[in-house]
C-alpha cells in the first residue's frame, strides 16, 4: 500500500485559519478596551468613596479641626452641590439633611458624590448616616 504524504496546506485551509485567528484577536482587543473602561470607573469610584467618607467623618465626629471646635447640631443643613476637581475630572458633592428622620431628634445625612464617565453617563456614590442631637460633642 502506498501512502500519499501531504506536502502542505491548501489555500482554503490557510484562509479559514486566518479568519479564526483574526476573530480571536478582535475579541481580545474589545476585551482590553472594556477592561480599561472598567478600571477607570473603579478608580473614580474609589476617589468618590474617599470624598464621601471624608465628609461623613466630619459629621460623625462633628470636628472642624482640633483647635477650632466642633460643628453645632443646629448648623448641620442641606448644602447645594459643590464642585470638586480631582485628577482631571470634576465631581460634585451634595449633602441632604432630613430632620427627625428616622427618629425624632436626629438628622439623616446623605452625601452624594457624582461624576461623568468617559461616555458622559453620570455615575455616583451615595453614603448615609444618622446624627443624634444628643451627642458628647454638644
Amino acid at each position: 500500500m502506498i501512502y500519499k504524504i501531504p506536502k502542505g496546506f491548501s489555500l482554503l485551509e490557510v484562509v479559514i485559519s486566518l479568519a479564526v485567528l483574526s476573530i480571536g484577536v478582535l475579541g481580545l482587543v474589545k476585551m482590553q478596551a472594556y477592561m480599561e473602561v472598567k478600571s477607570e470607573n473603579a478608580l473614580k469610584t474609589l476617589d468618590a468613596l474617599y470624598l464621601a467618607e471624608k465628609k461623613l467623618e466630619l459629621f460623625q465626629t462633628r470636628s472642624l479641626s482640633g483647635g477650632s471646635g466642633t460643628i453645632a447640631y443646629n448648623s448641620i443643613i442641606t448644602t447645594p452641590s459643590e464642585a470638586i476637581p480631582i485628577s482631571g475630572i470634576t465631581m460634585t458633592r451634595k449633602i441632604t439633611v432630613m430632620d427627625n428622620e428616622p427618629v425624632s431628634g436626629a438628622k439623616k445625612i446623605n452625601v452624594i458624590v457624582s461624576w461623568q464617565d468617559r461616555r458622559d453617563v453620570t455615575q455616583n456614590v451615595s453614603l448615609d448616616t444618622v446624627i443624634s442631637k444628643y451627642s458628647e460633642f454638644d
Side-chain angles (χ1 to χ4, degrees):
M1 214 185 256
I2 300 175
Y3 290 102
K4 254 183 154 182
I5 299 174
K7 300 206 180 200
F9 296 105
S10 70
L11 182 60
L12 182 60
E13 291 171 331
V14 171
V15 169
I16 290 173
S17 65
L18 285 175
V20 169
L21 184 65
S22 62
I23 289 172
V25 169
L26 285 175
L28 288 174
V29 169
K30 183 168 174 76
M31 185 180 70
Q32 192 273 336
Y34 176 79
M35 294 304 292
E36 184 180 335
V37 168
K38 290 297 183 183
S39 172
E40 182 181 339
N41 283 342
L43 289 173
K44 288 180 183 177
T45 301
L46 285 174
D47 287 341
L49 187 60
Y50 171 73
L51 286 171
E53 285 177 340
K54 185 177 174 184
K55 194 61 175 182
L56 276 184
E57 187 69 26
L58 285 175
F59 286 114
Q60 288 172 340
T61 62
R62 295 204 214 159
S63 174
L64 295 173
S65 73
S68 64
T70 61
I71 300 171
Y73 178 80
N74 293 332
S75 69
I76 299 174
I77 57 171
T78 298
T79 62
S81 294
E82 140 187 35
I84 308 155
I86 291 211
S87 64
I89 59 170
T90 300
M91 295 188 178
T92 57
R93 178 175 61 202
K94 182 176 183 181
I95 299 165
T96 306
V97 178
M98 293 177 274
D99 287 326
N100 297 321
E101 287 282 333
V103 294
S104 177
K107 290 184 178 182
K108 180 179 179 184
I109 299 175
N110 175 255
V111 178
I112 300 171
V113 179
S114 59
W115 68 96
Q116 297 286 344
D117 67 5
R118 67 167 59 181
R119 294 184 177 133
D120 287 333
V121 176
T122 302
Q123 305 287 334
N124 63 43
V125 170
S126 175
L127 296 178
D128 296 329
T129 192
V130 176
I131 305 241
S132 171
K133 73 178 182 177
Y134 306 107
S135 168
E136 69 270 16
F137 301 110
D138 288 337

